[in-house]
Amino acid sequence: MKKLTVNFPGAVLALALGIGAGTAQATIIFDSLTSDGTTLTTTGSFVSSTGSSPFGQAFTTGALVSTIDSISLYGYSLSGGSTTTLKIYSDLGGAPSAVVETLTNPTVTTSAGTNTFTGTSTVLTASTTYWAVLANTDNAKSTKWYYSSQAVSPSILGYENGDTEAGTWGVQQSSALAMQVNASAVPEPSTYVLAGVGLAALGWMRRRRNSGAQTGSTAGLMPA
């Protein structure tokens, strides 16, 4: 009978690297911006976000703990958006509560278009509702954010009377704003453990191979 040999260290390493690669892929967790990832579903109507009157769109994270890679909005700012901000808020009772993350601001288009804000690797809880809140720190300027034609959930829209850190929020209307949220799952601690085991196994395999090569060389030098 032929003996079955299993390369256990190699199998562990391959599994660890495979899991790591799988969790690093970004996915769309909320999309009221497009119907299929590319085709826009915006309307001709928009809201004007300022420092004293920002607007927000709710979204819910997926089943895994994740970080936001980017959030894309459809809109524009005549000032070029240098004073435009996009922040992620926690949710409390169906309204924005506390700032969780401030995204990196792009150069906002001066005519209607897609503007992508970059995440800063803040970890968000799985299956939890958050708010993306758009504002303009200069009350004399505003940034336009277009509505979506999709009936997505959650689609409650909020506004605030006061500054972006404290104030009274209320329901403006049930229409969603055009937004796409891209996120990457954060590997579970067990994944890092498995990866560590795989790397240790790789080191063991290399030492074993080197040891075997040295033994062979020594045997070749022995007199007959």
Side-chain angles (χ1 to χ4, degrees), residues 24-103:
Q25 185 175 4
T27 58
I28 299 174
I29 62 172
F30 179 87
D31 193 1
S32 58
L33 176 65
T34 72
S35 57
D36 54 8
T38 56
T39 306
L40 294 174
T41 55
T42 58
T43 69
S45 301
F46 55 79
V47 293
S48 296
S49 295
T50 65
S52 60
S53 182
F55 286 84
Q57 172 64 49
F59 68 94
T60 300
T61 53
L64 298 176
V65 175
S66 60
T67 59
I68 297 299
D69 293 304
S70 64
I71 296 181
S72 297
L73 312 177
Y74 194 81
Y76 70 95
S77 173
L78 294 177
S79 61
S82 60
T83 55
T84 297
T85 63
L86 182 66
K87 299 180 181 181
I88 295 177
Y89 282 67
S90 59
D91 175 83
L92 180 63
S97 177
V99 176
V100 175
E101 179 179 5
T102 300
L103 281 73

Side-chain angles (χ1 to χ4, degrees), residues 10-220:
V12 172
L13 177 62
L15 178 60
L17 294 178
I19 292 176
T23 55
Q25 185 175 4
T27 58
I28 299 174
I29 62 172
F30 179 87
D31 193 1
S32 58
L33 176 65
T34 72
S35 57
D36 54 8
T38 56
T39 306
L40 294 174
T41 55
T42 58
T43 69
S45 301
F46 55 79
V47 293
S48 296
S49 295
T50 65
S52 60
S53 182
F55 286 84
Q57 172 64 49
F59 68 94
T60 300
T61 53
L64 298 176
V65 175
S66 60
T67 59
I68 297 299
D69 293 304
S70 64
I71 296 181
S72 297
L73 312 177
Y74 194 81
Y76 70 95
S77 173
L78 294 177
S79 61
S82 60
T83 55
T84 297
T85 63
L86 182 66
K87 299 180 181 181
I88 295 177
Y89 282 67
S90 59
D91 175 83
L92 180 63
S97 177
V99 176
V100 175
E101 179 179 5
T102 300
L103 281 73
T104 301
N105 186 17
T107 300
V108 179
T109 56
T110 54
S111 59
T114 301
N115 298 275
T116 300
F117 296 76
T118 306
T120 59
S121 300
T122 299
V123 176
L124 302 183
T125 305
S127 304
T128 302
T129 298
Y130 291 91
W131 288 79
V133 177
L134 184 71
N136 198 309
T137 57
D138 187 342
N139 284 330
K141 301 175 182 178
S142 67
T143 302
K144 317 299 182 183
W145 191 355
Y146 281 75
Y147 288 112
S148 170
S149 60
Q150 296 185 57
V152 295
S153 180
S155 59
I156 191 171
L157 178 67
Y159 68 93
E160 183 181 79
N161 297 318
D163 59 44
T164 56
E165 307 301 328
T168 302
W169 290 86
V171 177
Q172 201 266 353
Q173 61 175 303
S174 59
S175 299
L177 289 166
M179 176 177 78
Q180 184 182 90
V181 182
N182 291 273
S184 292
V186 176
E188 296 291 337
S190 58
T191 302
Y192 291 111
V193 172
L194 184 57
V197 171
L199 291 174
L202 179 60
W204 176 82
M205 292 169 63
R206 286 180 176 174
R207 286 194 300 273
R208 184 180 180 187
R209 188 180 299 113
N210 291 338
S211 176
Q214 291 174 1
T215 302
S217 298
T218 303

